[in-house]
Amino acid sequence: MLLLDHVSIGVPDLDAARPFYDAIMEALGASKVYDRRDALGYGARCSADDVASSCLAVYLDPSPIAMNRRHWCFKALTREQVDDFYRRGLATGGRSDGEPGIRPAYHEHYYAAFLLDPAGNKIEAVCHAREASKSVVKRG
C-alpha cells in the first residue's frame, strides 16, 4: 500500500534548499518536475492513468522550524541509494542526524540515513530490502 499521495515541506530559503533537494531526490531516482520562484517539485503527480505516483513539494515558508518529532522519510530501492542520499545531502548543505546503517529496533534489514536540510527539517531515506547477496566466484 502506498499511503501518501504528496507531501509538502516548508523552508525559509528556497535558494539554500534547492541544491540539497535536487541532490537527495536525484539520489533516490525522483525527477524534478517544477522549479518556481516559490516552490520546487519532485516525483510525479497522480492522474486517472497513474494512481500509484507520489510527489514532494518544497515551498518557500518563512515560519520557524522548531525541534519536534516530525520528519519526512523517503523510500530507497537499494542501500546504495541511501548512502548516496546521505553523501549528496551533506555535500549540499545538509547536516547529519544519523549516518547510514542498520536500525534493528525497526527490523533486521531497516537500512536508513538521517539528515537535517539546510533549514533544519528532518529528512530520512530508508531501504527495507535485504542486503544484496555477493556472488561467489569459484576457481577451479
Side-chain angles (χ1 to χ4, degrees):
M1 172 176 74
L2 297 173
L3 186 59
L4 297 176
D5 182 79
H6 61 278
V7 174
S8 299
I9 298 174
V11 298
D13 184 345
L14 207 54
D15 289 333
R18 183 176 287 106
F20 175 85
Y21 282 98
D22 284 356
I24 66 169
M25 290 294 110
E26 183 180 345
L28 298 175
S31 300
K32 186 183 236 181
V33 293
Y34 59 86
D35 188 335
R36 302 189 313 241
R37 181 185 56 77
D38 64 341
L40 307 169
Y42 304 89
R45 294 179 186 262
C46 285
S47 69
D49 298 321
D50 174 9
V51 298
S53 289
S54 62
C55 64
L56 166 68
V58 180
Y59 284 102
L60 183 60
D61 181 353
S63 302
I65 298 168
M67 293 301 294
N68 57 51
R69 295 184 54 90
R70 177 185 64 225
H71 81 280
W72 291 268
C73 181
F74 300 100
K75 288 183 184 271
L77 298 177
T78 66
R79 292 179 181 194
E80 290 77 18
Q81 282 185 324
V82 173
D83 295 342
D84 199 25
F85 158 93
Y86 186 77
R87 276 192 306 274
R88 290 178 185 221
L90 290 178
T92 54
R95 296 177 314 237
S96 178
D97 199 33
E99 293 182 356
I102 295 290
R103 302 315 199 269
Y106 302 117
H107 68 71
E108 66 180 312
H109 302 290
Y110 194 106
Y111 188 87
F114 300 82
L115 293 167
L116 298 173
D117 76 3
N121 288 299
K122 296 176 186 180
I123 310 297
E124 174 185 358
V126 63
C127 176
H128 294 281
R130 289 174 175 79
E131 186 173 20
S133 61
K134 309 288 188 230
S135 298
V136 177
V137 177
K138 294 188 178 188
R139 308 233 184 251

